[in-house]
Amino acid sequence: MINDKEELLQNIKNDIKTAFQDIEFIEYNHTYLHKPTTKFLTSVSKKHKAYETTFDLSIAEWSARAKSVTEEEILFQWKEKGRISAERGTRIHKFAEDYYIDNSLQPSDDAERGVIEFFKDHPNYVIIDQEVILFNKEFNYAGTMDLLIFDLDSEDFILLDWKTNADLHKNFKKQKLLKPFEHYLQTPLNLYKIQLNLYDMCMEEKGFDISKRIIIWLSKDGMTNFDYALKFVLK
């Protein structure tokens, strides 16, 4: 039985690899090359951010006055906060990738403990592949999703993305997304919903039916009394 499952999973992995063999990620400039046409495709991150209103840096002037500091200081603080957040996200993503391969790894904070708890809570979830490079030929875009999961119980595919934001629901003055999503608030969660559905469209184009799209929100130390939360994404 185990051998049958291992063979099934390997066959699925080979099918995924074959389906997306025509795309190549160029790491040094973070672009995606569609090899048969030698065309560079728009990244998923750029595509879903096209629905986002650009952040108005003039807010820094108002924020500086409110905090009695200079505008330069505020901009520096924001830049540092972004850098620290990005480094934390990279570290946690790396732990998640490595832990599935070596579950003897010990967590260093609540977010990494959340990774372990998620895998323990879902023993029926088996990773087909991590950092999966996908593309959609019809709409000319490509991206890299965190995880492709196979549910051994239901035999369904699941798209999964780790997120480490301090607040998934953060919004500035009821600002909305751009068309055609103008009825939705501009929040990280709503942008991530678009992102996962773009990944889903890549899989669907190749004939793979995705049953669930899940964002795993890994909490920041001390922020909540749990280490991870599931956010299910509808089409």
Side-chain angles (χ1 to χ4, degrees), residues 72-173:
E72 288 74 18
E73 286 175 303
I74 284 292
L75 291 172
F76 177 77
Q77 289 173 14
W78 289 350
K79 185 177 180 180
E80 277 297 286
K81 184 177 180 181
R83 180 187 63 80
I84 292 169
S85 178
E87 288 180 353
R88 176 177 178 271
T90 298
R91 171 179 58 80
I92 295 167
H93 273 74
K94 184 67 166 60
F95 179 84
E97 289 177 31
D98 293 343
Y99 179 79
Y100 188 77
I101 298 169
D102 178 8
N103 58 21
S104 69
L105 294 177
Q106 296 300 307
S108 64
D109 62 13
D110 286 348
E112 291 180 358
R113 276 187 284 276
V115 171
I116 296 172
E117 287 182 12
F118 172 78
F119 284 125
K120 286 183 177 179
D121 290 346
H122 300 86
N124 53 312
Y125 285 6
V126 178
I127 294 178
I128 297 298
D129 208 353
Q130 305 189 70
E131 296 295 305
V132 186
I133 299 174
L134 310 169
F135 73 96
N136 184 288
K137 187 176 181 181
E138 181 179 358
F139 295 104
N140 297 307
Y141 69 86
T144 305
M145 68 179 180
D146 288 344
L147 290 173
L148 176 61
I149 297 288
F150 187 74
D151 187 333
L152 290 172
D153 292 345
S154 64
E155 297 190 352
D156 289 326
F157 288 110
I158 299 170
L159 302 186
L160 187 152
D161 233 43
W162 308 105
K163 299 301 181 186
T164 58
N165 306 56
D167 185 356
L168 284 179
H169 305 282
K170 185 177 180 180
N171 174 262
F172 182 71
K173 294 186 176 181

Side-chain angles (χ1 to χ4, degrees), residues 54-67:
T54 305
F55 181 70
D56 185 1
L57 286 176
S58 67
I59 297 169
E61 183 181 353
W62 171 85
S63 184
R65 286 200 304 269
K67 296 182 179 180

